[in-house]
Amino acid sequence: MFDLVFVGKFPYNGQVVEGSVAIEEGKIVRFSKGELKGEKILRLGRGQVLLPGMIDVHVHLRDFEESHKETVKSGTMAAIHGGITTVFDMPNTRPPVMDERTFRLRGRIFRRSYADYALGFLLAGNCEEAKAVKADFYKAFMGASTGGIFSEDFEADYSCAPGPLHVHAEEASLIIRFPERPPIVEVVAIRKALDAAERIKKRLHICHVSTAEGLKEILKRGFSWVSFEVTPHHLFLTRRDYERNPFLKVYPPLRDEKDRRFLWEHIKDVPVIASDHAPHTPEDKEGGAAGLPGLETELALLLDAVNRGLLTLWDVVEKTALNPARLFCLKTKGFSEGKDADIIVVDLKREWVVRADDFYTKAGWSPYEGWRLKGKVIMTFLRGELVMEEDEIIGRPRGERVAKENGA
Ligand code: DOR
Ligand code: ZN
Ligand code: ZN
């Protein structure tokens, strides 16, 4: 008799199958085509599917001196609400996480986290400090973005990184010449990052690829140690939307329809989808802040896209859970026997309308306000515990820091 058994549809070996998934002591212990016996049994309804909780490798949770924009608490409640059970915390905070003391402080405030988390460390000429901490990943900006700190010498920072390096690829010298940040700003930076990767051959992850040229370049070189992500906003919005709504300012910027289409045409080759949740209040947006909230719309947008035939449910599972777990060596994550029971139940047939008023993020607005989406996350389980049901967060913060495979 298992602690908890889900009965219904779930993804297995590239397909969606019918059967049961058994949970014991917070772990997935058995997949079966038949019906397993459980202390508690949860039968999925029509249109419902069990999926692995999302691992979002790009999230700005603010807090510290920017608690009006977001806190670890509000941001991870938003994550859980959106079906995201693990977040990667971006270090361009105020103050930035780029010394040992601030890193330790960051770790401490994550006791308030509702989601499991990986802690990032900002690299910009502070190699000794970087080596003194054991961050789960490192982050470098090739050109200035929110926070303003960037690498004067990207290769030096990349060579130094004691773990996987996530890079914001926009070329500093070109940002000065072209403050609107057209595609060339990204493409040149991506080429430079790939040239460095060819020599240095260490784990590199290119954040938010937004241009057709940039994506082509990465796929052409095909380095096994280089991964990358695309964001929902670059998949669902364009420059046209920005021209109508200045709140949609983001770095890298929303692109032309042909770039957006190119991302979709090559979606099979995209290993990771990540939100780049970058909350700013409406007042901060009025002041020109770049960045968009995205945790509570990310999976629903993807489910809506599944309903429209743009990608399969298995694609979603790979890009939001399986690949992030594998690429970043998360020991207890993934969707197989023995892994954490981070599970969501989605209703593929449920239609709803995006209202930022219903969200947990402190941003207070959404790029997708008023959009009608088909597909919604209705339950979230973190390590076997129900933590969200029908928009309500349940229980206390119980997020834990991720464990890395052989300390990678
Ligand atoms: O638009 C952005 N906002 N791009 C970034 O790289 C950072 C982010 C933020 O932190 O607001
Ligand atoms: Zn970025
Ligand atoms: Zn970001």
Side-chain angles (χ1 to χ4, degrees), residues 168-190 208 210-214 234 239 242 250-256 258-259:
H168 177 115
E170 287 192 293
E171 175 61 27
S173 59
L174 292 177
I175 292 172
I176 296 164
R177 278 172 59 199
F178 309 108
E180 297 299 315
R181 306 182 182 223
I184 187 73
V185 174
E186 171 174 293
V187 176
V188 166
I190 287 179
H208 44 50
S210 66
T211 58
E213 280 309 308
H234 291 117
R239 201 156 60 100
Y242 169 60
V250 59
Y251 301 147
L254 299 178
R255 305 298 188 186
D256 288 335
K258 70 169 181 18
D259 288 291

Side-chain angles (χ1 to χ4, degrees), residues 155 158 192-202 223 225:
E155 289 212 14
Y158 178 24
K192 193 166 146 180
L194 290 168
D195 288 345
E198 188 156 26
R199 285 189 291 276
I200 297 167
K201 291 194 172 60
K202 286 172 57 179
F223 299 144
W225 59 96

Side-chain angles (χ1 to χ4, degrees), residues 91-309:
N92 64 330
T93 47
R94 194 186 308 167
V97 182
M98 55 192 310
D99 61 80
E100 222 179 321
R101 202 187 76 87
T102 313
F103 182 75
R104 249 185 286 122
L105 195 60
R106 196 73 182 163
R108 236 174 291 139
I109 68 170
F110 266 80
R111 289 185 194 147
R112 303 169 206 153
S113 182
Y114 281 81
D116 282 358
Y117 53 90
L119 294 176
F121 188 88
L122 186 58
L123 250 174
N126 51 338
C127 188
E128 289 313 307
E129 298 277 3
K131 284 181 172 152
V133 300
K134 282 214 162 40
D136 298 310
F137 70 96
Y138 296 80
K139 171 85 186 248
F141 288 85
M142 296 175 80
S145 187
T146 304
I149 296 164
F150 66 96
S151 297
E152 301 287 347
D153 184 344
F154 170 68
E155 289 212 14
D157 288 330
Y158 178 24
S159 303
C160 163
L165 183 69
H166 295 230
V167 61
H168 177 115
E170 287 192 293
E171 175 61 27
S173 59
L174 292 177
I175 292 172
I176 296 164
R177 278 172 59 199
F178 309 108
E180 297 299 315
R181 306 182 182 223
I184 187 73
V185 174
E186 171 174 293
V187 176
V188 166
I190 287 179
R191 283 201 190 112
K192 193 166 146 180
L194 290 168
D195 288 345
E198 188 156 26
R199 285 189 291 276
I200 297 167
K201 291 194 172 60
K202 286 172 57 179
R203 226 8 225 104
L204 185 70
H205 178 78
I206 304 176
C207 299
H208 44 50
V209 175
S210 66
T211 58
E213 280 309 308
L215 178 54
K216 264 185 223 164
E217 205 67 38
I218 298 169
L219 296 178
K220 192 173 79 194
R221 309 283 281 267
F223 299 144
S224 60
W225 59 96
V226 176
S227 58
F228 66 97
E229 73 199 25
V230 300
T231 69
H233 48 273
H234 291 117
L235 286 170
F236 294 97
L237 301 168
T238 66
R239 201 156 60 100
R240 281 281 177 83
D241 297 297
Y242 169 60
E243 282 159 9
R244 278 192 290 262
N245 178 5
F247 272 33
L248 300 181
K249 178 174 172 183
V250 59
Y251 301 147
L254 299 178
R255 305 298 188 186
D256 288 335
E257 178 62 14
K258 70 169 181 18
D259 288 291
R260 192 183 77 86
R261 283 249 290 282
F262 192 89
L263 298 182
W264 276 110
E265 281 159 16
H266 295 266
I267 199 73
K268 294 277 179 207
D269 300 321
V270 171
V272 177
I273 294 175
S275 68
D276 194 6
H277 175 77
H280 297 284
T281 61
E283 295 70 36
D284 295 334
K285 291 302 288 184
E286 300 282 356
L292 315 174
L295 288 170
E296 285 158 290
T297 42
E298 178 164 33
L299 271 170
L301 284 165
L302 295 174
L303 297 175
D304 186 79
V306 168
N307 275 312
R308 290 189 283 136

